Amino acid sequence: MAAESSSADGPTSQSPIARLRNRLEGPNTIGNSRQFWAGLALAVVALIAFPILGGGTGNQFSLFLVLGLLGLSLSLVWGYAGILSFGQTVFFGVGAYTFGIVSINFPTPGGITGAVLAGTLAGAVMAALLGYFMFYGGVRDVYVTIITLVSTLVVLTFMAQTAGSEWTIGEAPLGGFNGMPGMPLLNLGVEGIFTFQFVFNDLELFLPLVGPFVVDPFYYLSLGLLLVAYLGLRVLVNTDFGRVLVAIREDEDRTQMFGYDVKRTKLVAFTLGGGLAGLSGVLYAARNVYIDPSVFELYFATLPVVWISVGGRKSLLGAVAATIAVEYLRLNIGGEMALVAVGALLLVSILVLPGGVVPWINDRGLPWLKDESIPWIKAKMGRVPESEATES
């Protein structure tokens, strides 16, 4: 009977929602309570309704969502693997340029869809190549940061001198600082089956209580991809792989002594971060129908570091929230004062909240975000008796 009772309370008896939460929650993520998921659902609903109730199409806000993917890429690489990288914008730019080259040469919906995949893959491959030579070459700590920073400057120097006609790949001129002209609009799908244009294709819709309104499909595409990336990374960092990443971040030598392949683990994380940055670059180029070497500039390369520092480098939620907030602030201030504001924000964050805003809120401001707010999580981690968790 005891065995039967134990079996009945096991994972197989859990509801689908409980099994999903088991994958999404754990000690490596902030927000492991029903209240958190309710708040996240409300935030997503608010973002869905924003273009409808805000009187706009959400076109400008879609830029913040696209850059949120870039923020998440650094959160994984720096926040969980402990690799401070200034090279995320390299993978971002490589993804954007690859998308432009492939889409210009194959301007059909199928070709553009392939260009999205190629740009994402190019970012991952670039990260894998750079990461392989760094990690398997014995480069560690601050020297990794220096190499990624130098890589950004090298790519910027190279791309700046590609204005001549000899720098044309097929039908796609790189253009130097003139940019890459002639990108087709983001029309995804397969000819003869289904295609849809996501940019410069505002949809006029009607709701009974709201009336007619106009929405930007690209805004919802960006929101959907950001949400999928956030939830996917939550699952990843709470797996055994994610726990090894955290162990490497805390003490790389000890993790290696326990027999884990530290170099391979860091390379995989760095490659995943590069792919995510590449996808962000693809969406950035598709949204603007344009790309130029300014994405490799030092100022832009430092922005992801600012976002993650402000939001909290050990928090995926902080990465997304800070990216949106800082970019909104920066673009609304504009000019030289934006540089001063971003620098002051970084300085205050490091001196006052070195762990970031969201972890600080988690520790002091909103206790309902914490793991301890759910007894069954404590039971899973061995903190309370199973009976107490079942009763609650």
Side-chain angles (χ1 to χ4, degrees):
M1 292 296 292
E4 292 176 3
S5 177
S6 174
S7 176
D9 293 334
T12 56
S13 65
Q14 292 180 341
S15 67
I17 294 179
R19 290 197 294 270
L20 179 61
R21 288 185 63 188
N22 280 336
R23 290 182 174 274
L24 290 169
E25 296 174 349
N28 292 331
T29 47
I30 290 177
N32 294 319
S33 68
R34 292 183 179 88
Q35 294 95 323
F36 167 78
W37 292 112
L40 181 64
L42 287 176
V44 172
V45 170
L47 287 171
I48 292 174
F50 170 70
I52 301 172
L53 304 179
T57 63
N59 180 266
Q60 183 181 17
F61 203 85
S62 65
L63 173 62
F64 308 146
L65 301 178
V66 167
L67 294 178
L69 291 169
L70 181 59
L72 280 177
S73 75
L74 183 59
S75 181
L76 173 65
V77 171
W78 184 26
Y80 287 89
I83 306 167
L84 175 55
S85 169
F86 282 91
Q88 298 309 107
T89 51
V90 171
F91 316 136
F92 178 93
V94 167
Y97 270 97
T98 301
F99 169 78
I101 293 169
V102 176
S103 63
I104 289 174
N105 283 284
F106 303 95
T108 63
I112 297 170
T113 303
V116 172
L117 300 176
T120 304
L121 182 62
V125 170
M126 184 70 179
L129 290 174
L130 181 60
Y132 176 82
F133 288 110
M134 288 193 304
F135 304 136
Y136 283 89
V139 180
R140 292 177 53 176
D141 303 325
V142 69
Y143 301 104
V144 171
T145 305
I146 293 173
I147 288 178
T148 56
L149 179 60
V150 170
S151 299
T152 304
L153 298 176
V154 168
V155 176
L156 171 64
T157 303
F158 172 77
M159 294 304 299
Q161 52 86 46
T162 58
S165 58
E166 67 273 17
W167 297 104
T168 301
I169 302 176
E171 300 294 325
L174 297 182
F177 271 103
N178 295 321
M180 180 180 287
M183 281 190 194
L185 300 180
L186 187 64
N187 190 4
L188 302 180
V190 178
E191 302 92 323
I193 300 178
F194 175 79
T195 61
F196 187 82
Q197 182 178 311
F198 283 92
V199 294
F200 298 106
N201 185 28
D202 292 346
L203 299 179
E204 296 185 7
L205 303 176
F206 178 85
L207 287 177
L209 299 179
V210 178
F213 58 93
V214 178
V215 296
D216 176 18
F218 185 80
Y219 171 85
Y220 292 103
L221 174 65
S222 304
L223 177 59
L225 290 175
L226 179 61
L227 184 61
V228 169
Y230 170 70
L231 295 177
L233 287 180
R234 280 189 67 107
V235 173
L236 178 67
V237 300
N238 284 313
T239 60
D240 291 339
F241 176 79
R243 286 185 277 274
V244 174
L245 280 182
V246 172
I248 293 172
R249 180 191 70 197
E250 298 300 326
D251 195 326
E252 182 174 335
D253 292 330
R254 179 173 292 184
T255 305
Q256 189 166 6
M257 287 176 61
F258 278 115
Y260 293 102
D261 192 336
V262 169
K263 294 176 182 178
R264 185 179 65 183
T265 304
K266 289 168 67 176
L267 179 60
V268 171
F270 199 68
T271 302
L272 290 175
L276 199 55
L279 175 60
S280 179
V282 167
L283 295 175
Y284 182 86
R287 175 187 179 275
N288 298 328
V289 201
Y290 177 83
I291 191 67
D292 66 26
S294 64
V295 296
F296 300 113
E297 289 182 345
L298 184 59
Y299 172 56
F300 189 62
T302 59
L303 282 177
V305 177
V306 175
W307 304 334
I308 305 308
S309 298
V310 172
R313 71 185 184 95
K314 299 179 182 179
S315 168
L316 298 171
L317 180 64
V320 175
T323 299
I324 294 174
V326 172
E327 283 305 290
Y328 179 84
L329 176 69
R330 184 177 71 89
L331 294 181
N332 277 276
I333 294 176
E336 296 296 325
M337 286 305 299
L339 295 173
V340 176
V342 170
L345 185 62
L346 177 62
L347 186 63
V348 170
S349 174
I350 292 175
L351 294 177
V352 180
L353 297 174
V357 174
V358 171
W360 180 84
I361 293 175
N362 177 55
D363 292 336
R364 294 175 177 82
L366 295 176
W368 53 269
L369 284 173
K370 296 183 179 181
D371 299 348
E372 288 79 9
S373 62
I374 306 180
W376 67 264
I377 289 184
K378 292 190 291 183
K380 188 166 65 173
M381 300 176 69
R383 296 176 185 169
V384 298
E386 185 70 27
S387 58
E388 180 183 336
T390 305
E391 289 172 5
S392 61

